[in-house]
Amino acid sequence: MIVAVGVDVCDVARFVAELERVPRLRERIFTPEERDLPDASLAARFAAKEAIAKALGAPPGMRWHDCTVHRISGSAPVVEIRGTVAARAAALGITRWHLSITHDGGIASAMVVAEGPDRPRE
């Protein structure tokens, strides 16, 4: 059963300019394995994290590092959650994530579907 959806878009050039303007932003938003990705991929990961936050209702106190987007060659990206993100997902009954990310023409975008267990039919 679909519990929630989230969508986000990010202007790659604007995002990169913000990373350059605020030197610690990269470390604040991204986990160590994400930090060295190309700029467009970082913008797409940011859009993915924003989409996930939106699906969770943008709870206060959510930590960026409690969500990692893994790239699996030849497969859809995988969302790994822990801490504050996992707690909010559990509270909403979310047990599975479906994520699509892309970047082209200077825009990065992400769409996430949060799924929970099927409800029994009445």
Side-chain angles (χ1 to χ4, degrees), residues 52 56 62-63 66-67 80-94 97:
I52 290 165
L56 295 173
M62 192 179 99
R63 296 186 60 227
D66 286 345
C67 177
E80 177 188 356
I81 60 172
R82 60 200 154 277
T84 58
V85 177
R88 178 65 175 162
L92 294 174
I94 297 168
W97 297 95

Side-chain angles (χ1 to χ4, degrees), residues 1-117:
M1 176 181 86
I2 295 173
V3 176
V5 297
V7 177
D8 194 67
V9 296
C10 179
D11 181 288
V12 175
R14 183 173 165 211
F15 181 73
V16 170
E18 193 66 13
L19 287 177
E20 291 169 358
R21 190 182 74 75
V22 182
R24 301 223 21 151
L25 187 59
R26 184 183 303 260
E27 288 76 25
R28 191 172 137 226
I29 295 173
F30 300 108
T31 61
E33 80 176 69
E34 295 171 315
R35 288 181 195 149
D36 294 328
L37 293 169
D39 292 342
S41 294
L42 281 178
R45 294 305 188 284
F46 177 71
K49 291 181 182 212
E50 282 281 314
I52 290 165
K54 289 173 182 177
L56 295 173
M62 192 179 99
R63 296 186 60 227
W64 290 106
H65 284 211
D66 286 345
C67 177
T68 303
V69 177
H70 298 280
R71 182 178 182 273
I72 308 298
S73 183
S75 182
V78 175
V79 176
E80 177 188 356
I81 60 172
R82 60 200 154 277
T84 58
V85 177
R88 178 65 175 162
L92 294 174
I94 297 168
T95 57
R96 188 169 177 197
W97 297 95
H98 305 274
L99 173 64
S100 178
I101 57 178
T102 190
H103 49 81
D104 188 37
I107 299 292
S109 64
M111 196 271 188
V112 67
V113 175
E115 186 179 0

